[in-house]
Amino acid sequence: MSEQNGNLGPRYAVRLDQLRNWHILTAACPECRHRVRMRLWQLTARNPGHEHLIDLEKKLRCRRCGNRIGNRLYVTIADRD
């Protein structure tokens, strides 16, 4: 899976309000390799739109192992059907 598709830009520059419904967010834990897809509305309900993805990564906690260090958010674009 590529980290980001299209012309989004680097993680440190992308804000939540720049993402759209066709973007797929995947949170990944480096410790147990657990991956989970996240819906955009789940993040925007709890976080301001001006928050950068790299800042959100610091708040992530793995639901499987509880790890809080080094978790990543990957953004991809959904396939067109």
Side-chain angles (χ1 to χ4, degrees), residues 5-62:
N5 300 18
N7 56 3
L8 273 176
R11 282 184 356 273
Y12 63 84
V14 177
R15 295 185 322 257
L16 272 179
D17 58 5
Q18 293 174 320
L19 299 177
R20 300 293 176 249
N21 291 332
W22 57 81
H23 291 116
I24 299 171
L25 296 158
T26 305
C29 174
E31 292 295 319
C32 68
R33 299 186 185 266
H34 181 232
R35 290 180 175 259
V36 64
R37 282 190 174 174
M38 301 176 76
R39 293 187 173 94
L40 184 57
W41 66 266
Q42 291 173 313
L43 290 175
T44 55
R46 290 183 246 146
N47 299 291
H50 60 47
E51 191 152 18
H52 291 92
L53 292 183
I54 200 153
D55 296 328
L56 287 175
E57 289 177 349
K58 297 173 188 173
K59 297 179 180 180
L60 294 177
R61 180 182 56 86
C62 180

Side-chain angles (χ1 to χ4, degrees), residues 5 22 24 77-81:
N5 300 18
W22 57 81
I24 299 171
I77 298 174
D79 294 332
R80 296 177 92 178
D81 291 336

